[in-house]
Amino acid sequence: MSQWNDGQGDPRQHDPTRQFRPDPRAGDPYGQVPPQGPPQQQRGPYGANNPFGTEGNEQFGIGGMVCALLGAILLIVCLTALDWFSTDRHGTLSFGDVGDLLDGRGDATGFASAYFGWFAWVFLLVSVVAAVGSSFPSPALRALRVVGVVAAFAAAGLSFLAIQVTDSRSYVDWLADARVGFYLAVVGFVLIGVGAAIGPRKV
């Protein structure tokens, strides 16, 4: 009787499943505490590690910016160093040479005078600034994406309109005399437009 009263015969002490019963304080069925990983970073209103984010799903678009800058560099080379025309009467003409040729000429087309005077440079500046700005995922800069795309592709198309420098020759003749500077300038504007269209990077 003394042994039974001392608890040696208590069947709960010999229960083989007792050690495997789940701990109600833990989420593991065997009572083991799950390993703790690094704390999850909280996303703020501008996204984790993204000071320019909008809704936590965009980051700075490095691809769009690089594309826009490549187009800008190509355009600067075209507007300053490459030949745009090669004619029998005037020889090879750079972008600046065409602008000088049109000064004071009565047969110069109005749009060509503007394009080779200031128009191309203004479109270059506006489109590249808008394209680079649109790479930042900021709500305040979303409109720049539209401005960059419209300005760059409009400039590329208007370059073909400006290719008729004077009315004394037909458009086809001027287009036939166009050289690498003109065509690469069109490519440069297209690159800037593509860079603006890419915009911020989705994450």
Side-chain angles (χ1 to χ4, degrees), residues 84-85 87 90 93-95 97-103 105-116 159-171 173-175:
W84 278 57
F85 296 99
T87 64
H90 301 288
L93 297 172
S94 65
F95 181 88
D97 293 334
V98 177
D100 295 337
L101 179 66
L102 294 179
D103 286 341
R105 288 193 57 140
D107 59 346
T109 60
F111 186 74
S113 298
Y115 183 89
F116 289 96
S159 297
F160 283 93
L161 180 61
I163 201 70
Q164 186 173 1
V165 177
T166 63
D167 293 326
S168 59
R169 302 180 69 212
S170 67
Y171 179 88
D173 291 337
W174 280 109
L175 185 61

Side-chain angles (χ1 to χ4, degrees), residues 93-158:
L93 297 172
S94 65
F95 181 88
D97 293 334
V98 177
D100 295 337
L101 179 66
L102 294 179
D103 286 341
R105 288 193 57 140
D107 59 346
T109 60
F111 186 74
S113 298
Y115 183 89
F116 289 96
W118 55 270
F119 191 81
W121 285 105
V122 171
F123 261 87
L124 167 60
L125 180 63
V126 171
S127 59
V128 73
V129 169
V132 173
S134 66
S135 299
F136 292 90
S138 170
L141 300 178
R142 285 180 179 175
L144 292 180
R145 191 172 185 180
V146 178
V147 173
V149 172
V150 173
F153 282 100
L158 292 174

Side-chain angles (χ1 to χ4, degrees), residues 4 10 16 20 23 26 54 68 81 88 95 106 118 126 131-132 134 136 183:
W4 178 265
D10 191 342
F20 299 107
D23 186 353
T54 54
D88 295 335
F95 181 88
W118 55 270
V126 171
V132 173
S134 66
F136 292 90
Y183 291 106

Side-chain angles (χ1 to χ4, degrees), residues 20-103:
F20 299 107
R21 290 178 183 173
D23 186 353
R25 296 169 300 177
D28 188 87
Y30 296 102
Q32 298 178 357
V33 179
Q36 299 294 325
Q40 296 294 325
Q41 189 171 13
Q42 298 295 326
R43 282 188 178 272
Y46 296 107
N49 296 327
N50 182 14
F52 302 103
T54 54
E55 298 177 355
N57 60 347
E58 292 181 343
Q59 289 184 354
F60 178 76
I62 186 67
M65 187 196 68
V66 170
C67 187
L69 291 180
L70 286 177
I73 293 173
L74 182 60
L75 271 167
I76 291 174
V77 173
C78 293
L79 298 180
T80 58
L82 298 181
D83 292 331
W84 278 57
F85 296 99
S86 179
T87 64
D88 295 335
R89 181 178 178 181
H90 301 288
T92 58
L93 297 172
S94 65
F95 181 88
D97 293 334
V98 177
D100 295 337
L101 179 66
L102 294 179
D103 286 341

